[in-house]
Amino acid sequence: MDVVIRNANLADGQQGVDVAIEHGRIMAVGPRLPLQAAQEIDAGGDLLSAPFVDAHFHMDATLSYGLPRVNASGTLLEGIALWGELKPQLTQQALIERALQYCDWAVARGLLAIRSHVDVCDDRLLAVEALLEVKRQVAPYLDLQLVAFPQDGVLRAPNALLNLKRAIAMGVDVVGGIPHFERTMAEGAESVRILCEYAADQGLMVDMHCDESDDPLSRHIETLAFQSNRLGLHGRVTGSHLTSMHSMDNYYVSKLLPLIREAGVAAVANPLINITLQGRHDTYPKRRGMTRVPELLAAGIPVAFGHDCVMDPWYSLGSGDMLEVAHMGLHVAQMTGQQAMRDCFQAVTATPAAILGLQGYGVAPGCHADLVLLDAADPVEAIRLRAARRLVMRRGKIIAESPRARANLELPGRPASVDFRLGR
């Protein structure tokens, strides 16, 4: 064997487990495996998990905070307007450099798969070309899945539908949309129909920004579920944000949830951004802004958490830490029961991996040896502490390490050093 990790706890509750790795894959999982390996790692009862997965991000905008100015109001609409101001100033090289820097941050935090939306409303498709190059460069250590995203509306913006199709032809993976940003509710519904029919014809997945609004009458998720059902897209469609659901009345939601489940549509909430951008027009009572995560889960609908933004026109903070995302999601959704907290860990690991269709994901024989050893005993403690990543492994090779944070608890403010081994 190449590597054996000894005495690890797993996210499903197993304790004292050994994991044997050869040729980049997990060969065996069990207690006290009678195997020898070139390298043995003592987990010491810490949590060994499959890597973190971000189901919703905007890598074309990341690390652009302050360019060309700061979002003074902090609103979604000013962020969109600011991004429109920035687009003419973008260069392909700057996009690539910022995205690669973010990917380094992500890997250090055990985030090895990201679904990123990329704006296709710029006729030059600079961002598309840049992120396709980033995808190629990071492929040895990170899975980057791209969504063709018509930020300004596929019907509202000139050439947006044509550009979306061009982006798909260039190698972008998923069809995106933003129906609530079209000029009317009717145009929004029409955009959903057009985009879902295109995806069905091309055999592609769909991931739409859907109802990112405080308006309870923004109900494009209903149309998305209907089109998914009509076109047989079950299991290939995701509705992201769904924040209008936090303002809908309970009777309507009681009808909507079974429709979403029947259509096989998954949901992605973005706790850090939803709690920041929504409810901006409220005084008090002030809405939380995130979609109904516990209710969606109870209805049997897969729910993942996304980071969405890091230091960009919409959000001035962030570090690529999906445990921070889970921590915020747990609080906003009031998911403080033991199983609910474990569900939040699933929302940044196994659930988004399934939504992205990742192959060989997990801690089981036959899976890729893509693993994160966390300085925590279980998923709840990992979220509570935003646990240090003792090691990050890709295909059986350690690509990042960090010392146990618990050893530094008596030294407040002492930063943990990180050893990068990306080899770029």
Side-chain angles (χ1 to χ4, degrees):
M1 288 293 160
D2 298 325
V3 182
V4 175
I5 301 173
R6 302 283 187 188
N7 191 28
N9 294 348
L10 303 186
D12 63 5
Q14 295 184 69
Q15 297 183 347
V17 172
D18 296 348
V19 177
I21 298 165
E22 191 170 42
H23 303 310
R25 287 192 179 268
I26 296 172
M27 305 305 293
V29 177
R32 295 182 295 278
L33 294 176
L35 298 169
Q36 291 186 333
Q39 181 182 16
E40 292 211 359
I41 298 168
D42 180 13
D46 279 345
L47 176 62
L48 185 68
S49 172
F52 296 108
V53 179
D54 184 354
H56 188 105
F57 194 65
H58 291 267
M59 197 172 287
D60 51 356
T62 197
L63 306 188
S64 65
Y65 180 70
L67 301 175
R69 59 182 177 84
V70 170
N71 184 338
S73 69
T75 62
L76 171 65
L77 293 181
E78 184 177 353
I80 293 174
L82 207 166
W83 176 243
E85 295 172 23
L86 177 58
K87 275 195 285 189
Q89 303 177 25
L90 294 174
T91 67
Q92 193 171 112
Q93 188 57 36
L95 283 162
I96 291 172
E97 288 174 359
R98 288 194 290 264
L100 288 175
Q101 182 179 352
Y102 182 77
C103 288
D104 285 355
W105 291 11
V107 168
R109 290 159 178 81
L111 172 55
L112 300 189
I114 300 172
R115 174 181 279 185
S116 175
H117 297 252
V118 54
D119 189 2
V120 298
C121 287
D122 179 355
D123 289 342
R124 300 170 298 169
L125 294 184
L126 276 182
V128 173
E129 290 180 350
L131 290 195
L132 284 169
E133 173 59 20
V134 170
K135 179 178 179 176
R136 184 190 67 78
Q137 290 193 34
V138 303
Y141 59 91
L142 186 149
D143 293 305
L144 178 58
Q145 190 177 94
L146 299 178
V147 183
F149 177 48
Q151 172 75 77
D152 300 325
V154 76
L155 298 179
R156 182 174 179 174
N159 301 324
L161 182 58
L162 174 63
N163 289 345
L164 183 146
K165 293 179 178 179
R166 287 171 58 205
I168 294 294
M170 291 165 65
V172 172
D173 309 283
V174 183
V175 175
I178 186 167
H180 57 277
F181 199 63
E182 302 291 353
R183 289 186 177 87
T184 67
M185 290 290 184
E187 287 246 300
E190 178 67 2
S191 76
V192 174
R193 182 190 66 79
I194 290 169
L195 292 166
C196 284
E197 287 181 352
Y198 173 68
D201 180 66
Q202 298 295 310
L204 298 171
M205 293 185 287
V206 176
D207 190 335
M208 289 197 190
H209 286 60
C210 211
D211 306 322
E212 190 180 2
S213 167
D214 293 331
D215 180 4
L217 298 180
S218 185
R219 297 177 173 183
H220 296 296
I221 180 57
E222 179 183 78
T223 305
L224 183 61
F226 171 77
Q227 296 295 348
S228 175
N229 214 16
R230 180 178 74 88
L231 296 166
L233 293 171
H234 305 79
R236 290 162 48 190
V237 177
T238 301
S240 290
H241 291 290
L242 307 182
T243 58
S244 68
M245 199 181 295
H246 70 71
S247 297
M248 292 173 181
D249 66 81
N250 289 336
Y251 179 80
Y252 175 69
V253 172
S254 73
K255 167 197 170 185
L256 180 60
L257 294 178
L259 179 64
I260 297 172
R261 183 185 64 239
E262 177 188 349
V265 174
V268 176
N270 298 291
L272 295 169
I273 313 306
N274 296 154
I275 195 67
T276 303
L277 296 181
Q278 305 311 130
R280 287 277 181 166
H281 296 279
D282 296 350
T283 52
Y284 289 94
K286 199 172 187 70
R287 286 168 286 188
R288 288 172 176 262
M290 194 169 74
T291 194
R292 301 187 183 208
V293 174
E295 291 84 356
L296 287 160
L297 288 170
I301 297 162
V303 181
F305 290 156
H307 205 310
D308 199 4
C309 305
V310 170
M311 297 182 67
D312 67 10
W314 296 273
Y315 189 61
S316 57
L317 304 174
S319 64
D321 186 351
M322 295 306 293
L323 284 177
E324 181 182 5
V325 175
H327 188 267
M328 178 61 80
L330 183 159
H331 284 82
V332 177
Q334 299 178 323
M335 295 174 66
T336 53
Q338 282 292 311
Q339 184 55 51
M341 290 190 286
R342 291 176 180 274
D343 289 341
C344 288
F345 189 84
Q346 289 287 101
V348 294
T349 52
T351 301
I355 290 172
L356 269 63
L358 297 181
Q359 301 298 309
Y361 178 92
V363 186
C367 292
H368 293 302
D370 298 347
L371 299 164
V372 182
L373 182 60
L374 294 153
D375 187 14
D378 57 49
V380 174
E381 187 176 51
I383 294 173
R384 180 176 70 84
L385 299 175
R386 270 83 84 213
R389 284 64 164 168
R390 289 180 53 193
L391 66 82
V392 180
M393 182 175 284
R394 172 75 166 183
R395 303 300 195 262
K397 305 293 184 183
I398 297 174
I399 58 174
E401 290 183 282
S402 182
R404 277 182 156 172
R406 282 180 284 189
N408 295 331
L409 287 181
E410 295 181 358
L411 300 171
R414 176 178 172 182
S417 62
V418 177
D419 174 24
F420 294 97
R421 303 183 186 179
L422 303 184
R424 280 199 290 100

